[in-house]
Amino acid sequence: MNIGVDARAFGMANAMVAHTKDVNSGYWNPTGLLKIEDSEASLMHANYFANIAQYDYAAYAKKIDDRSAWGASIIRFGVDDILNTTELIDASGNIDYNRISLFSTADYGFTFSYARKLPVQGFQYGVNAKVIRRIIGNFASSWGFGFDVGLQFEKNDWQLGLMIRDVTTTYNIWNINEKEFQKIKDAQTLNPLQNQDLPESSEITLPKVQFGVARKYEFHNETSLLASANLNMQFQQTNDIISTSFASIDPALGFEYGYNNLAFLRAGFGNFQKIQQIDGSNKVGFQPNLGVGFQYKGIAIDYALTDLGNQSAALYSNVFSLRVDLSIFR
């Protein structure tokens, strides 16, 4: 649930909290659903981590009235055809490759969103209710539940946004298949004490805060420039460029140059991390992204290439997405 959705957003390094205003707002900041004129749908596919994993997303949103809107989405992130070698060695100590099987591991996120304008001019809010489903072959599975809260404010061409993810913390409760776990315990390993204890049965996701600011500049030659920035904060010490024992902050910058609201060129810089080198020193790595998009009569097609130039520790990914204003079919 931390990766993001929509190739447009990936091209802008996910700096979306302040200015998101379409069906994908259900993920970035549900408040943006209020900008939908009628109803919209969105699809996305990404070969993530240099084609190691498959990442898919679908969403639908609809305006209720002039002051409210709702949406729903589903995310799947999966790694398929993983080799299960827990029974590779038989009881006699012989290696038998016919005993290898395949399994998949996948995470699912179901999000239900609602947004409404506040009585104070320029302010609006949105909330998400999330259901998390995680499956690791026949070994284990879990259910989780959580909530997000978002705000947006507009004044004098400036847009401000605040998104609090997992505001109540998100709990995942695991169910371990003890029969399959016994096979793991019995598997031959170099360390006889490895894999002897059942994993924790609960998992807690701490709240995260994202603050964003954006402004769009219109030029006389039918071109425009949207500039946006995010400060992504989590309450634990990480390798983020700004990190303390209380919180860590990762900035992100995104730009979108558009022509006649038809064609778009995007760039973004994010994932600023301290990367430890072999000699023990640290260097700052970042993830540059590049994207293009085309929009015509309510249909938008977008593409993004993440980690351009291999400047960060993350592997590159190709992201494609489609967004449709469903009112064009009426």
Side-chain angles (χ1 to χ4, degrees), residues 273-277 281-285 311:
Q273 302 283 309
K274 297 175 184 176
I275 303 175
Q276 189 172 49
Q277 305 301 294
S281 63
N282 288 325
K283 80 166 188 178
V284 176
Q311 291 292 321

Side-chain angles (χ1 to χ4, degrees), residues 205-261:
T205 302
L206 296 176
K208 302 177 185 67
V209 177
Q210 295 176 303
F211 175 76
V213 59
R215 183 169 181 174
K216 187 174 183 179
Y217 300 89
E218 301 280 356
F219 305 116
H220 296 297
N221 57 352
E222 297 184 327
T223 62
S224 64
L225 176 65
L226 173 63
S228 62
N230 265 24
L231 290 178
N232 306 312
M233 178 187 300
Q234 49 185 322
F235 297 99
Q236 57 184 329
Q237 191 160 18
T238 68
N239 290 331
D240 289 343
I241 190 172
I242 303 172
S243 182
T244 69
S245 58
F246 172 72
S248 300
I249 299 176
D250 172 30
L253 300 172
F255 303 92
E256 180 182 69
Y257 181 78
Y259 172 71
N260 199 27
N261 202 33

